């Protein structure tokens, strides 16, 4: 599939397309028009055609989109046509919940190891994984193929862990409530839950809807 | 504080301003120039001045911003100058983690009750809260002042719960992996964790950085 330089707004929408197409696929829908998809997703049909045209010619006049084909192509674009190996650091409440959540594995995001610094947690098991000592993280990364490090540690600890990762190419899925200082080779995606809650509070107070 | 019609992009950044100003306040910094703040936050100084000018005249030429005052004003804009009462529905792993997370209460977002449909969970306690039967949700909302309903239920259950809320004005903080059909009076903020992970996967594959 050919690709042009894709705007951040389109990238933000892509996983949502994938989710809708996956739901349609599950419901055994084989094809869908941009108009039908637009009504489902609350976008305009022309927005959808424009978004998807970034990745090639998918729709056929009078036929619409082949759901399965389009879903597969978006899966590839998203880098989900392979297994993404993950490790998690920080087994507090949120870390344990993320590790136990079974919605990621089905999409090819698999937890391979989990690390903590708390001696009372090290050696215990969550699901299939034995919690390892955080000191072993680098050794583990040397000897295993890891794509993504999930950080569910307090904000005071997150940057030190990132700095300790050396020159490796990694994705960092950061739940710590701070902005990490990156470096070439690191790809950082932040999930700032408190900020999401504050946006809700803003919209509630001002009777405002957030646009996509 | 006077307010103009604020763009969604500015609203998205506001909680981040609040976070940085809170950190500065904690570090007992009393004032900061837009240049210093811009270096901290990775925005341009003119972007910061433009964003904050939406809410009034804060900066003084040659003095900069009064950290405490600006933080207080943003807190008001965000609707955080009052207690936001919350209830949580769905005590799976994620729901339990969110309920136990102690970073929200300090910002005035307080959990008052928690609900589940699973009889083995009803009556048990998490922290200070006894888990209630989901059937009691509407009765609870009738007799208590609730601002926000946090939905940590499977996607198959989320819409039914929203539909059962009647005509009430509420914020919905939705963790279910689906888009809720709203109605006037409901303010919905979605946290789609899987989509965040897919964006990371995209950026990792394409060596792409997401812009703010």
């Amino acid at each position: 599939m050919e690709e042009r330089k894709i705007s951040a707004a389109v990238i933000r929408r892509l996983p949502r397309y994938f989710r809708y197409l996956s739901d349609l696929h599950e419901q055994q829908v084989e094809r869908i028009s941009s108009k039908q998809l637009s009504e489902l997703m609350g976008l305009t049909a022309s927005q959808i055609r424009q978004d998807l045209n970034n990745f090639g010619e998918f729709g056929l006049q009078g036929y619409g989109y082949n759901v399965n084909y389009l879903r597969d192509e978006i899966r590839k674009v998203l880098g989900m046509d392979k297994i993404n190996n993950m490790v998690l650091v920080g087994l507090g409440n949120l870390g344990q919940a993320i590790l136990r959540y079974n919605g990621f594995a089905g999409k090819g995001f698999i937890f391979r190891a989990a690390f903590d610094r708390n001696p009372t947690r090290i050696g215990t098991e969550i699901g299939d994984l034995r919690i390892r000592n955080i000191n072993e993280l680098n050794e583990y990364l040397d000897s295993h193929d890891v794509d993504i490090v999930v950080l569910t540690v307090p904000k005071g600890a997150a940057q030190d862990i990132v700095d300790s990762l050396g020159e490796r190419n990694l994705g960092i899925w950061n739940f710590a409530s701070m902005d990490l200082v990156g470096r070439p080779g690191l790809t950082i995606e932040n999930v700032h839950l408190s900020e999401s809650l504050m946006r809700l509070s803003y919209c509630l107070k001002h009777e405002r809807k957030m646009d996509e």
Side-chain angles (χ1 to χ4, degrees), chain A:
Chain A
M1 178 185 296
E2 270 184 49
E3 281 173 47
R4 310 176 206 162
K5 171 78 174 176
I6 314 296
S7 78
V10 175
I11 299 173
R12 254 195 289 273
R13 281 194 290 272
L14 263 191
R16 195 157 168 263
Y17 282 110
F18 182 76
R19 174 158 57 83
Y20 274 88
L21 290 164
S22 297
D23 287 349
L24 289 165
H25 181 63
E26 239 173 64
Q27 295 156 27
Q28 303 185 314
V29 176
E30 288 179 13
R31 60 177 175 156
I32 191 162
S33 68
S34 51
K35 184 162 177 296
Q36 291 169 308
L37 193 55
S38 76
E39 283 161 9
L40 268 178
M41 295 185 63
L43 298 168
T44 67
S46 89
Q47 171 84 81
I48 288 181
R49 286 191 296 267
Q50 208 176 315
D51 281 356
L52 298 179
N53 275 344
N54 280 294
F55 306 100
E57 295 291 334
F58 292 121
L60 282 174
Q61 193 74 37
Y63 176 87
Y65 296 110
N66 178 315
V67 168
N68 196 31
Y69 176 72
L70 183 55
R71 177 179 176 275
D72 267 5
E73 291 299 308
I74 292 180
R75 205 163 66 104
K76 281 183 216 162
V77 172
L78 287 169
M80 294 165 63
D81 52 340
K82 59 161 226 147
I83 296 293
N84 281 283
N85 295 307
M86 306 203 289
V87 302
L88 182 138
V89 183
L91 275 299
N93 288 321
L94 187 62
Q96 292 187 32
I98 300 280
L99 196 63
R100 287 199 169 106
Y101 180 67
N102 51 25
F104 303 136
K107 298 183 181 76
F109 297 93
I110 317 273
F111 282 110
R112 301 298 186 186
F115 299 84
D116 201 284
R117 67 164 44 145
N118 185 335
T120 65
R121 288 190 188 131
I122 295 166
T124 63
E125 286 186 10
I126 295 185
D128 293 345
L129 297 180
R130 190 184 53 79
I131 310 306
R132 298 166 191 251
N133 191 320
I134 179 76
N135 296 335
E136 299 166 20
L137 176 59
N138 267 284
E139 202 181 306
Y140 185 91
L141 295 174
D142 281 337
S143 52
H144 295 79
D145 179 21
V146 173
D147 302 287
I148 293 170
V149 176
V150 183
L151 281 185
T152 42
V153 295
K155 67 177 175 175
Q159 188 65 51
D160 282 352
I161 293 169
V162 167
D163 292 343
S164 79
L165 296 174
E167 306 277 295
R168 299 180 177 87
N169 289 324
L170 286 166
I172 306 285
W173 201 24
N174 174 41
F175 286 79
S177 178
M178 46 90 70
D179 296 324
L180 296 166
V181 180
R183 55 159 174 78
L186 287 189
T187 305
I188 298 170
E189 164 90 7
N190 295 307
V191 182
H192 290 325
L193 292 179
S194 291
E195 294 187 17
S196 168
L197 190 52
M198 291 183 214
R199 275 194 297 274
L200 175 56
S201 169
Y202 175 92
C203 292
L204 204 53
K205 170 165 179 166
H206 300 268
E207 299 185 11
R208 174 72 191 265
K209 284 205 194 316
M210 286 289 281
D211 320 307
E212 259 303 302

